[in-house]
């Protein structure tokens, strides 16, 4: 049995104020707002949509085309996997942080910036403990940020999203940055990003936080440090 998640590139994320007035279902009002931003034919019957109430009268909306869901379900079926559920990556990353790196009492109310740096993208989540407030996926990863100039371009994208977050959540201050991709990325890259963002940062190595008497028995390969386990652990905890 597996808990699956669509690739971040297949999911459209938007943040909006809770609709004040609407006739009929709330889903119809939310779809009307997100419709112009859809990259596929904007028909409600062809759209799979989930909304998550956050804070300060704001909601996070995640949408994808139904045929994308069907495509992935077909892959799982042919691989002989039984799907327990399909999760969403912002929630999974927030749960990963809360379980492994947000255990202090002061962490319950702290707003943190989570980054999962992949080979060709960087998934960003701003959360208050296990509750995501803001998320986006930036199409720049390890392959594009090998030097200070590359890191600078990523920081520009991250800064733009931080500004949008601040516009949505008044007086919400990001207290620290956690790199959830752990040892999958050269620590020097983390240092470049943290320095340019001017924010207190730490590396979140999920593998170091997991206790297993025989890791190979449960499929964990500790020697392969180039794999980010944050999303996988987060999905299993969500």
């Amino acid at each position: 049995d597996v808990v699956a998640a669509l690739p971040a590139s297949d999911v459209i994320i938007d943040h909006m104020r809770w609709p004040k007035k609407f006739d009929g279902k709330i889903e119809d009002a939310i779809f009307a707002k997100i419709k112009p931003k859809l990259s596929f034919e904007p028909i409600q019957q062809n759209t799979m949509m989930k909304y998550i109430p956050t804070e300060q009268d704001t909601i996070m909306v995640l949408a994808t085309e139904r045929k994308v869901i069907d495509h992935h379900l077909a892959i799982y079926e042919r691989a002989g996997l039984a799907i327990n559920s399909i999760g969403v990556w912002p929630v999974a990353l927030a749960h990963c942080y809360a379980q492994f790196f947000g255990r202090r009492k002061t962490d319950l109310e702290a707003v943190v910036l989570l980054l999962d740096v992949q080979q060709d993208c960087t998934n960003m989540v701003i959360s208050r403990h296990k509750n995501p407030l803001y998320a986006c996926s930036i199409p720049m990863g390890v392959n594009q940020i090998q030097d200070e100039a590359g890191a600078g371009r990523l920081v520009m994208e991250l800064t733009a999203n931080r500004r949008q977050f601040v516009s949505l959540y008044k007086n919400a201050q990001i207290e620290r940055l956690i790199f959830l991709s752990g040892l999958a990325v050269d620590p020097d890259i983390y240092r470049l990003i943290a320095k340019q963002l001017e924010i207190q940062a730490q590396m979140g190595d999920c593998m170091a936080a997991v206790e297993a008497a025989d890791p190979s028995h449960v499929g964990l390969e500790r020697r392969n440090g180039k794999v980010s386990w944050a999303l996988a652990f987060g999905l299993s905890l969500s």
Side-chain angles (χ1 to χ4, degrees):
D1 292 348
V2 299
V3 178
L6 297 181
S9 58
D10 286 342
V11 181
I12 296 169
I13 299 181
D14 195 19
H15 306 83
M16 62 182 68
R17 298 295 183 191
W18 190 270
K20 296 295 184 182
K21 297 180 181 180
F22 54 91
D23 298 323
K25 296 181 179 180
I26 181 66
E27 290 83 359
D28 295 339
I30 293 173
F31 180 77
K33 285 196 169 188
I34 199 175
K35 182 177 178 179
K37 301 179 180 180
L38 297 179
S39 57
F40 49 87
E41 189 175 7
I43 300 175
Q44 193 162 355
Q45 291 82 354
N46 295 336
T47 305
M48 197 76 171
M49 188 175 67
K50 178 182 179 66
Y51 66 91
I52 303 172
T54 55
E55 296 180 1
Q56 299 184 29
D57 205 26
T58 299
I59 56 176
M60 179 188 300
V61 183
L62 303 100
T64 191
E65 197 171 6
R66 285 188 181 273
K67 73 176 185 180
V68 172
I69 297 281
D70 294 339
H71 175 73
H72 283 277
L73 288 175
I75 292 173
Y76 306 145
E77 182 179 356
R78 297 179 80 174
L81 302 175
I83 301 299
N84 181 283
S85 63
I86 296 180
V88 291
W89 66 264
V91 173
L93 291 182
H95 276 254
C96 178
Y97 154 73
Q99 178 69 27
F100 294 132
F101 312 109
R103 296 182 176 182
R104 298 172 301 181
K105 186 177 181 180
T106 54
D107 293 329
L108 296 178
E109 293 301 321
V111 177
V112 293
L113 170 58
L114 311 174
L115 292 182
D116 185 20
V117 185
Q118 303 287 333
Q119 291 301 305
D120 291 298
C121 72
T122 296
N123 296 327
M124 169 186 178
V125 177
I126 301 175
S127 71
R128 191 186 300 276
H129 204 238
K130 65 179 180 180
N131 301 312
L133 305 177
Y134 184 93
C136 71
S137 183
I138 300 168
M140 295 180 63
V142 177
N143 294 333
Q144 292 79 33
I145 54 174
Q146 293 289 345
D147 54 23
E148 190 167 353
R153 289 191 291 272
L154 175 62
V155 167
M156 288 179 62
E157 294 288 341
L158 295 172
T159 301
N161 281 280
R162 284 176 69 183
R163 291 196 191 101
Q164 186 177 358
F165 168 77
V166 171
S167 71
L168 290 169
Y169 301 94
K170 306 299 182 184
N171 302 318
Q173 298 293 324
I174 298 173
E175 296 187 19
R176 71 184 191 277
L177 161 64
I178 296 112
F179 292 100
L180 289 182
S181 32
L183 295 175
V185 178
D186 188 330
D188 287 340
I189 294 178
Y190 292 152
R191 293 187 187 97
L192 283 172
I193 296 171
K195 181 180 179 180
Q196 294 190 38
L197 283 174
E198 298 181 338
I199 186 171
Q200 180 182 352
Q202 72 182 78
M203 184 191 298
D205 184 5
C206 298
M207 291 299 288
V210 173
E211 295 182 5
D214 183 6
S216 61
H217 179 69
V218 291
L220 300 180
E221 177 53 75
R222 295 188 189 274
R223 291 172 299 178
N224 187 358
K226 295 303 181 184
V227 175
S228 172
W229 287 89
L231 181 58
F233 281 130
L235 287 170
S236 70
L237 294 165
S238 301

